[in-house]
Amino acid sequence: MDKALAQKVIDRIASAKSPALFTHLRPDGDAFGSLLGLAHVLKDRGQNPSLVQDVPDQLPSEADLFVVLDTSTRERVGKKTTDWKKPVDVVIDHHVSNPGFGTLNLIVPEIPATAGVLYRLFEMAGWKVSPATATCLYAGLSTDTGSFRYRGTDAQTLRIAASLVDLGADPSDIAKHCYLSVTPQRYQLKKLTIETLSLKDNKKSGFLTIFPDFYSKSGAKSEDTEGIIEEVTCIQGLEVASLFEFGPEGGLRVSLRSKGRVDVNAIASSLGGGGHRAAAGIRFPKDGEKNRDRVLAAISKAISALED
Ligand code: AMP
Ligand code: MN
Ligand code: MN
């Protein structure tokens, strides 16, 4: 982590009275963990943060700092925020593909979750990490590393996790809330989706499809798709897993996962999306089927380029 840059971020955040904290659309565990973790720390310091989940039409007028967490592109803060007059003051993130769309950009790809970047920042600033903060940050770190299984997990990740446990995070309790509390509706959506599995490229790639009527059939909500793709990644011999979600208006949302040999960020970035080497995504507003075929073709090409 660039210490001089981190210090600038600390000074900028410390001097704000009412920072407005944002994260990406369809927030995941790292998005929520980072948002809530930073909010706890700022509250404990006597600042007055506001957490923005439902994107408003304008930046709240009392906000004197615009912070965006865990978000790889400006659009993923929410389309309607892109024409706000106030620029993003501070971006804190870990996506390699992040272009740095803020005035200050602390982007640390060597830490596998924004929650981990925040922990290092708080440590440097000497800001108190309460048990509530530690719990939020641990949840972000755990979910973004697939429970410390993905490639980005290294000794530093585990050291950060250990420090958070020292500070009051309870791994088993957090795991219970993050992984052992699936609603029956979410489970039903997963069941319908897994039935669609199709293997190709000599069983080195596999894809799942979510059709619009799966929501009425299961009673699930759009955020209930989180984690389904991991059910494909686990297949032995598979290199790339993808999930295609067709929207009711013909759009397509794509999730890509790699076991490490194929760079899915390169595939996603070449088609207008982004993410990390092992987990990336793309959103197409229209031409769902045509775009699914483009993604599948790019995956086949990447797999055929691998040496066995
Ligand atoms: P997901 O498959 O939605 O869990 O996303 C996997 C990763 O790719 C996350 O780290 C996202 O930040 C990133 N990502 C997903 N969709 C997009 C997109 N449309 N543009 C840029 N990055 C994305
Ligand atoms: Mn995220
Ligand atoms: Mn993240």
Side-chain angles (χ1 to χ4, degrees), residues 280-306:
I282 322 165
R283 191 179 283 264
F284 298 102
K286 57 184 173 78
D287 298 328
E289 291 195 17
K290 209 166 85 194
N291 283 309
R292 177 200 51 199
D293 293 344
R294 287 172 72 206
V295 175
L296 288 173
I299 294 170
S300 298
K301 194 169 156 212
I303 287 179
S304 63
L306 291 176

Side-chain angles (χ1 to χ4, degrees), residues 35-74:
L35 198 65
L36 293 164
L38 179 56
H40 275 299
V41 166
L42 298 182
K43 272 212 167 116
D44 292 347
R45 298 186 74 252
Q47 290 170 268
N48 178 33
S50 57
L51 276 70
V52 185
Q53 202 202 328
D54 289 324
V55 180
D57 287 329
Q58 277 305 324
L59 189 69
S61 56
E62 68 280 9
D64 57 356
L65 186 72
F66 184 178
V67 182
V68 175
L69 302 168
D70 193 46
T71 305
S72 54
T73 64
R74 184 69 185 79

Side-chain angles (χ1 to χ4, degrees), residues 87-270:
V88 177
D89 296 306
V90 178
V91 168
I92 302 175
D93 190 27
H94 66 117
H95 293 89
V96 248
S97 62
N98 193 318
F101 55 86
T103 307
L104 282 174
N105 301 286
L106 184 64
I107 298 156
V108 189
E110 64 271 19
I111 298 181
T114 301
V117 179
L118 284 174
Y119 175 71
R120 287 293 186 222
L121 196 70
F122 300 158
E123 191 182 42
M124 213 182 128
W127 292 345
K128 190 184 123 220
V129 175
S130 68
T133 305
T135 300
C136 296
L137 297 184
Y138 184 99
L141 194 60
S142 170
T143 50
D144 250 27
T145 55
S147 307
F148 307 103
R149 284 175 301 153
Y150 300 155
R151 189 173 275 254
T153 307
D154 60 8
Q156 158 156 244
T157 316
L158 297 173
R159 269 184 215 112
I160 295 173
S163 303
L164 292 169
V165 173
D166 278 339
L167 290 162
D170 178 339
S172 131
D173 195 49
I174 294 168
K176 195 163 90 188
H177 284 96
C178 292
Y179 310 115
L180 304 176
S181 56
V182 175
T183 62
Q185 292 83 351
R186 180 183 279 230
Y187 198 84
Q188 190 59 28
L189 177 68
K190 189 173 175 171
K191 205 171 133 195
L192 290 168
T193 307
I194 285 173
E195 286 291 320
T196 69
L197 174 66
S198 171
L199 293 173
K200 60 196 294 282
D201 304 311
N202 217 0
K203 299 201 176 94
K204 288 189 173 141
S205 97
F207 67 93
L208 297 174
T209 311
I210 297 180
F211 296 102
D213 67 343
F214 282 14
Y215 289 100
S216 51
K217 281 184 179 153
S218 63
K221 299 195 277 276
S222 68
E223 64 262 31
D224 289 324
T225 59
E226 180 84 26
I228 295 181
I229 192 169
E230 324 303 341
E231 301 294 323
V232 180
T233 323
C234 70
I235 298 172
Q236 190 181 44
L238 198 105
E239 296 289 349
V240 176
S242 38
L243 174 77
F244 298 101
E245 179 174 352
F246 288 95
E249 260 103 57
L252 180 72
R253 196 176 67 81
V254 184
S255 281
L256 300 172
R257 297 291 183 271
S258 161
K259 272 196 193 148
R261 293 175 75 203
V262 173
D263 180 355
V264 288
N265 176 46
I267 294 175
S269 297
S270 74

